[in-house]
Each structure stands twice: as structure tokens, then as C-alpha cells.
Amino acid sequence: MSFIIFKTMHLLAVLILFACLSIELASLKNLMQRKALKRIAYVDALYGISAVIVLASGLYLALKVGKGADFYFGNLAIYIKLGVFVFVGLISIIPTIFFIKQSKGEGEQEVEIPQNIKRIIISELILILCLPAFGVLLANNILLF
């Protein structure tokens, strides 16, 4: 039963994470009011929370209720998957800081959105889309050392 609960939690958190990034990207315009950036900052906070749940539930599955640590950590796919996930988390700090800083002040005041913010979010989405492939390799014991 624990496996079903944590697997469901893991998958739902992945979907929420991807949805938050998609909402952020779709909401960004070249010029935005600070109050709109504040709403994006809330979505970004949900993105961060879902990322923590994805990581925690995934590690719990691997270490406690899945096929066992030896199965997962004996496969190169887990290291690639974790590496990509951590890299996405690290680059996501840049938009997060931007949204928090720029959402402060007069709500009607307009802020120009740098292109690198959009590029980072697009990169995050693309990298996250690669993760299921490594999950399949991992689940089927492909890419062993």
C-alpha cells in the first residue's frame, strides 16, 4: 500500500511541477506589471514545493518501498536522472529570484522581462521532458554500469 501512495504522490507532484513551469512560461510577456509577477511568484513557489515532493517521494520509493537501493543505484540512469533534476533545480533559482525581487513595489508598475528568464524556463521544461526516458531505462534495468 505504501508503494501505491508514494508512487501516486510522486507522479502527481511531477505533473504539478510541469504544469507550474508551463503556466510560468505561458504567463510571461515582454513587459509585465508587478502584480502579475507576484502571481507568477506564487506559481513558482508551488513549483518549488512540488520539486521537493518529487525528490523526496522518489528517494523514498528507491530506498524504502521500491525495488531496493541496489537495483536503482546500480544503474547509470538514476545518476543521470538525479543529475538532470538537480541541474534543473539549480537553474530555476535564477527565475525564482527575479520573480521575488520584481514582484515588490507598485503593483501597476511595469517591468521588462529579460529573455534569459524565458530561456531558462524553456530549458527546464525540455530537461524535465527527458526524465521519463531515464525512468523507463531505470525501471527496465537498462544502462547498467
Side-chain angles (χ1 to χ4, degrees):
M1 189 62 157
S2 186
F3 177 79
I4 294 169
I5 292 168
F6 277 90
K7 189 67 171 179
T8 302
M9 182 187 326
H10 185 72
L11 293 173
L12 287 174
V14 168
L15 291 172
I16 291 167
L17 182 145
F18 193 81
C20 288
L21 277 179
S22 298
I23 290 166
E24 286 181 25
L25 183 62
S27 300
L28 286 178
K29 310 288 183 255
N30 291 333
L31 200 59
M32 297 183 69
Q33 291 184 343
R34 290 189 190 275
K35 63 182 177 184
L37 285 174
K38 191 171 206 149
R39 287 191 297 269
I40 292 176
Y42 287 128
V43 173
D44 194 65
L46 180 58
Y47 164 69
I49 292 167
S50 66
V52 170
I53 294 170
V54 167
L55 185 60
S57 61
L59 288 174
Y60 187 80
L61 285 166
L63 298 173
K64 299 290 183 189
V65 296
K67 296 176 183 177
D70 291 341
F71 177 85
Y72 295 110
F73 291 98
N75 189 314
L76 181 60
I78 190 79
Y79 298 103
I80 296 170
K81 191 172 182 173
L82 283 170
V84 169
F85 191 80
V86 167
F87 178 73
V88 168
L90 290 173
I91 65 172
S92 76
I93 293 170
I94 297 167
T96 298
I97 291 171
F98 177 81
F99 296 142
I100 292 169
K101 282 185 177 180
Q102 295 303 320
S103 65
K104 295 177 181 171
E106 282 296 316
E108 304 299 320
Q109 187 180 10
E110 293 194 327
V111 175
E112 188 173 336
I113 308 301
Q115 285 299 310
N116 72 321
I117 298 298
K118 290 180 186 178
R119 284 189 204 111
I120 290 169
I121 294 172
I122 290 168
S123 298
E124 290 177 77
L125 284 165
I126 291 168
L127 289 169
I128 288 170
L129 284 172
C130 296
L131 294 179
F134 293 109
V136 170
L137 293 173
L138 185 59
N140 291 289
N141 222 12
I142 301 169
L143 271 184
L144 295 174
F145 287 111

